[in-house]
Amino acid sequence: MTRRRKTEESGLLRQLPLALLIWGLFSVMMWVPAAYALTLNDHPTSRSFFYSGILGLVTVTTIVLARAGRPSRHGVLGQLAALLSTFALLPLFLAVPFHDALKTTSFLNSYFEMVSAITTTGAEMFPDPGRLSAPLHLWRAQVGWLGGLVMWIAASAILAPLSLGGFEVTAQGQPGRVLVGQGESVDPRGRLIRIAATLAPVYAGLTLVVALLLLAAGDPGLVAICHAMSVMATSGISPVGGLSGSASGLTGEAILFLFMFFALSRLTFSSDTAMRGHARLDEDPEFRIGLLILLGVPALLFLRHWSGAFEIASGENVTLALRALWGSLFTVMSFLTTTGFESTDWAEARQWSGLGTPGMILLGLSVIGGGVATTAGGVKLLRVYALYLNGMREMQRLVHPSSVSSATGRNLRIQRDGAFIAWVFFMLFAISLAAIALALAAAGSDFETAMVLSIATLSTTGPLIEVGAELPIRLIEMPAAAKLILSGAMIIGRLETLAFIALITPALWRN
């Protein structure tokens, strides 16, 4: 009887459209901030989330009944379209309780907040933490956490079969086309359910571990939970304005630093998407190039600040030197994984040496981004590695023009056209960056502001808006057109341009 019930439930899940499943999940999760607000005797906020959750479930149930017996006919590409609707249209619904509970802002600002959260960008429309109540802070972190979970699952279940999201560098198929013989085209919904059942407990379990460790380190419950969800989703959302308002101090930063490694390579939590080559973490090129950047950039920054400290005769202060080194190490790791948390010791480097730290470094790290099939954004380390191998090969051909290369241990996972496809993506990223910057300039932004905002949104690293420019950028003061442009940029950055091209290609839908 139990097996029969599980079979019926699995059959029901296979018939439900992906967009409705996600909508229903977010509707149920609205009751979490509703219950939290009720414990704080904040009844208006509790009602806003409780009634919105009921409205969402009623709407989803109605649509499911109307579509009974009509399963999706578009396979994996239809799931990709559902993923786009999740990032673009679902925030309209998620903004309803946020706007109703806050009451002192426009619906456009609320929509921007929800797009920023669900795409794990973490750009704050309200940088002052006191502007939002505790349940609203929890809701922002929760939406970011669920958005990270959706991307974690979608990377393996949707993007990998379509050779998108960085998998085009290693996959044998063409971007946007399902690999023949892999089984994805036979039962894409079954693959989605199987991967979700495998990864969701891991994601939730890791978040719980981080939250418990932060609680033990001294953070209050809300701060510990929000920071735990933010570091796993790489959203950088904080209810206290960042780590400077955290009570856990250096211990809390060390905990977050360790769990940021999950955004450097998918092999840190799963090996189901390792198609060819090494499945060991220590041999994974993404993880190794991530470690190289993580160690190299802080070392160069430390030497730069040490030279400045030596000139002002404070080079013998070992404590300040170590704090400056840790601040650089943590902040580099945070922006490389597109999380965006800034270490409290990041300012110690400037205080120690009297030299500023260019925001250009953080912008470059965010553009590189983290690993494929993780919650990190950016160009991705695997594409950077493919371009590096191609550059090394071209340098060898300058010396030995007639040499012939073969697949060795270093490039076994990279397909023959992998570097070319990586270069195409990088050019598309650059074109998108230029287009968004021009659009923002047309909306009234200056050059520096437009560039920082474009990189922050396309790389899904919202905290760059606060630290990337010479002065923090106030999003709430920007015109409505600029906010809509930034919302679109965050969606493009989360889903990536190759996925958009696949969605608008008629030939792919006819397959």
Side-chain angles (χ1 to χ4, degrees):
M1 185 61 122
T2 303
R3 182 179 301 176
R4 183 184 211 178
R5 184 178 302 171
K6 288 182 179 179
T7 303
E8 292 175 355
E9 292 175 355
S10 177
L12 178 62
L13 290 175
R14 291 171 188 269
Q15 293 179 1
L16 288 178
L18 177 60
L20 293 181
L21 285 173
I22 298 175
W23 190 354
L25 173 63
F26 277 87
S27 299
V28 172
M29 295 303 290
M30 283 184 178
W31 293 340
V32 175
Y36 181 51
L38 188 62
T39 62
L40 300 176
N41 291 323
D42 188 357
H43 297 286
T45 300
S46 181
R47 285 194 294 268
S48 297
F49 282 99
F50 182 72
Y51 293 150
S52 297
I54 292 178
L55 176 63
L57 286 180
V58 170
T59 305
V60 169
T61 303
T62 303
I63 297 176
V64 168
L65 292 176
R67 296 188 76 263
R70 299 179 185 177
S72 175
R73 297 174 297 174
H74 298 297
V76 184
L77 204 58
Q79 293 177 348
L80 184 63
L83 193 61
L84 172 61
S85 68
T86 298
F87 295 130
L89 302 179
L90 184 58
L92 291 170
F93 170 65
L94 303 180
V96 171
F98 186 92
H99 177 260
D100 185 63
L102 187 56
K103 292 185 173 64
T104 58
T105 190
S106 65
F107 187 80
L108 176 59
N109 290 342
S110 301
Y111 172 76
F112 180 93
E113 280 284 351
M114 293 299 100
V115 172
S116 174
I118 200 171
T119 58
T120 71
T121 303
E124 294 182 331
M125 186 64 66
F126 311 103
D128 181 14
R131 177 73 183 277
L132 304 180
S133 62
L136 293 182
H137 281 300
L138 177 62
W139 178 235
R140 290 181 65 243
Q142 192 174 300
V143 171
W145 184 76
L146 290 172
L149 175 61
V150 169
M151 273 308 301
W152 230 24
I153 296 172
S156 299
I158 300 176
L159 299 182
L162 290 172
S163 301
L164 296 171
F167 291 100
E168 70 277 0
V169 177
T170 56
Q172 294 293 330
Q174 299 179 357
R177 297 181 182 274
V178 179
L179 290 175
V180 180
Q182 297 291 332
E184 290 88 347
S185 59
V186 178
D187 188 14
R189 182 56 58 85
R191 175 184 172 87
L192 178 65
I193 295 173
R194 184 173 62 255
I195 291 177
T198 302
L199 294 183
V202 176
Y203 189 75
L206 290 173
T207 306
L208 179 61
V209 171
V210 180
L212 292 177
L213 290 175
L214 291 177
L215 280 172
D219 275 338
L222 177 63
V223 176
I225 293 172
C226 290
H227 284 179
M229 290 191 289
S230 296
V231 76
M232 292 309 304
T234 66
S235 64
I237 296 174
S238 173
V240 289
L243 300 184
S244 58
S246 174
S248 57
L250 181 61
T251 304
E253 289 187 11
I255 294 169
L256 297 179
F257 179 81
L258 290 176
F259 282 86
M260 286 180 191
F261 279 98
F262 287 97
L264 290 183
S265 171
R266 62 189 179 276
L267 297 185
T268 54
F269 57 87
S270 173
S271 60
D272 63 330
T273 53
M275 296 182 181
R276 293 188 297 161
H278 302 296
R280 288 175 49 184
L281 182 61
D282 61 332
E283 297 178 346
D284 180 53
E286 282 187 302
F287 193 75
R288 295 174 67 177
I289 196 172
L291 286 180
L292 179 63
I293 296 173
L294 177 60
L295 297 177
V297 175
L300 294 175
L301 287 174
F302 178 77
L303 292 175
R304 176 179 183 270
H305 287 292
W306 181 83
S307 63
F310 184 80
E311 292 178 0
I312 61 175
S314 62
E316 69 278 1
N317 195 326
V318 179
T319 302
L320 282 177
L322 292 177
R323 293 185 63 181
L325 180 60
W326 167 253
S328 299
L329 188 66
F330 179 91
T331 305
V332 166
M333 178 65 152
S334 180
F335 280 88
L336 179 62
T337 58
T338 68
T339 304
F341 280 137
E342 185 179 356
S343 172
T344 55
D345 289 328
W346 180 246
E348 288 295 330
R350 296 190 291 270
Q351 180 181 348
W352 173 50
S353 64
L355 297 174
T357 301
M360 188 67 68
I361 295 177
L362 302 182
L363 293 173
L365 291 170
S366 301
V367 168
I368 294 174
V372 171
T374 65
T375 56
V379 174
K380 301 295 174 53
L381 291 169
L382 188 59
R383 295 189 179 106
V384 174
Y385 178 71
L387 293 175
Y388 162 75
L389 288 182
N390 186 68
M392 292 294 294
R393 174 57 189 155
E394 292 300 321
M395 292 176 64
Q396 292 174 0
R397 291 180 63 182
L398 290 175
V399 181
H400 304 287
S402 301
S403 64
V404 178
S405 64
S406 60
T408 61
R410 292 194 309 165
N411 58 2
L412 183 62
R413 296 175 63 239
I414 308 299
Q415 67 156 315
R416 187 172 63 176
D417 297 330
F420 174 74
I421 297 175
W423 179 251
V424 168
F425 176 85
F426 188 80
M427 288 295 99
L428 290 174
F429 187 92
I431 292 172
S432 302
L433 180 64
I436 294 168
L438 287 174
L440 290 174
S445 299
D446 58 74
F447 176 78
E448 181 184 14
T449 300
M451 288 302 298
V452 171
L453 290 174
S454 301
I455 293 176
T457 51
L458 279 179
S459 66
T460 66
T461 316
L464 272 176
I465 297 173
E466 293 290 321
V467 300
E470 185 177 356
L471 296 174
I473 302 171
R474 292 184 57 84
L475 294 174
I476 198 168
E477 298 175 357
M478 301 191 72
K483 295 174 184 176
L484 290 175
I485 293 170
L486 293 175
S487 298
M490 288 187 284
I491 297 170
I492 294 174
R494 181 72 281 181
L495 204 56
E496 297 189 349
T497 49
L498 284 178
F500 276 90
I501 294 175
L503 285 173
I504 63 176
T505 303
L508 297 179
W509 287 95
R510 289 195 293 267
N511 290 338

